[in-house]
């Protein structure tokens, strides 16, 4: 293969030696020069490529960069520990909920007992007034009637104080949520489904119906 040194030697020949070779030799010399130029170009390209390309990583470096494989046994142990922790949390939560239900039930019973006691305490004066009215001789019917009316009003106030409400029916439309229709009547003055008459009072306790009103409902059809 023709090298740079060979080219230098050829280029450095005296003039009389260069002029001496035949045409064939001149052609061969030109081919050698062209080959040398191509060789130099290839060598320069290889050097540039080698300079731009980073050095390959050594096996030691590759071993450091590679992530170690996770141990299956260690992973299983970690999962078992997490499962045991969750199971313990569930048992504690279940015990807390049972205690909460027990406390709530006890508090509800105590509250119900207190409400009942307060209601009876409010009713006791009315019972006393009934006892006094029954103990007196009924000589004056009018006075006895007024006494009964006073006791009735007193009872209504006590019941209202404890949350009892009367369901209104006068001039109202029939509502099956609050009224119970036991009779249908015709009327020239009232519209259909209007309550014509209340036969028995209905009551609610703090907005909840405990007994619907018994009513007559207009039906002109």
């Amino acid at each position: 293969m023709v090298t740079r040194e060979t080219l230098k030697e050829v280029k450095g020949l005296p003039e009389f030696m260069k002029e001496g070779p035949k045409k064939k030799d001149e052609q061969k010399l030109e081919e050698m020069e062209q080959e040398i130029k191509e060789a130099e170009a290839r060598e320069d390209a290889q050097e540039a490529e080698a300079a731009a390309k980073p050095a390959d990583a050594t096996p030691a470096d590759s071993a450091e960069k590679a992530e170690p494989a996770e141990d299956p046994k260690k992973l299983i142990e970690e999962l078992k520990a997490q499962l045991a922790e969750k199971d313990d949390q569930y048992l504690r939560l279940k015990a807390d909920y049972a205690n909460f239900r027990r406390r709530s039930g006890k508090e509800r019973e105590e509250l119900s007992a207190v409400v009942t006691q307060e209601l009876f305490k409010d009713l006791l004066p009315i019972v006393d007034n009934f006892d006094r009215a029954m103990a007196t001789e009924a000589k004056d019917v009018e006075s006895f009637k007024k006494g009964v009316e006073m006791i009735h009003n007193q009872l209504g106030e006590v019941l209202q104080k404890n949350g009892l409400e009367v369901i209104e029916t006068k001039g109202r439309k029939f509502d099956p949520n609050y009224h119970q229709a036991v009779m249908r009547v015709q009327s020239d003055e009232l519209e259909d489904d209007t309550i014509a008459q209340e036969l028995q009072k209905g009551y609610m306790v703090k907005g909840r119906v405990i007994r619907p009103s018994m009513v007559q409902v207009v039906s002109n059809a």
Side-chain angles (χ1 to χ4, degrees), residues 89-146:
Q89 291 178 358
Y90 168 74
L91 292 176
R92 287 200 302 268
L93 182 61
K94 185 177 179 180
D96 292 340
Y97 179 67
N99 293 332
F100 169 75
R101 289 188 60 184
R102 190 162 43 251
R103 288 195 306 269
S104 298
K106 186 177 180 180
E107 291 174 358
R108 192 161 48 246
E109 291 177 358
E110 292 176 352
L111 180 61
S112 178
V114 170
V115 171
T116 304
Q117 292 171 9
E118 292 298 323
L119 176 61
F120 286 150
K121 284 174 63 177
D122 292 338
L123 290 174
L124 287 177
I126 300 174
V127 175
D128 294 337
N129 290 335
F130 270 119
D131 290 339
R132 295 189 187 98
M134 297 299 295
T136 59
E137 295 181 4
K139 296 180 180 180
D140 189 351
V141 177
E142 190 65 27
S143 297
F144 182 79
K145 182 180 178 181
K146 288 182 180 180

Side-chain angles (χ1 to χ4, degrees), residues 17 19 26 41 44 61 75 88 117 126 136 159 174 189:
M17 293 182 67
E19 295 175 356
E26 291 177 357
D44 291 339
D61 295 336
L75 180 61
D88 185 58
Q117 292 171 9
I126 300 174
T136 59
L159 295 176
F174 173 75
E189 300 177 356

Side-chain angles (χ1 to χ4, degrees), residues 165-173 175 178-179 195 198 201-204 213 215:
E165 304 173 51
V166 178
I167 297 176
E168 297 293 335
T169 58
K170 187 176 181 179
R172 300 295 179 89
K173 289 282 188 178
D175 187 342
Y178 300 96
H179 312 128
I195 296 175
E198 182 183 65
K201 286 184 179 295
Y203 296 95
M204 298 186 297
S213 302
V215 295

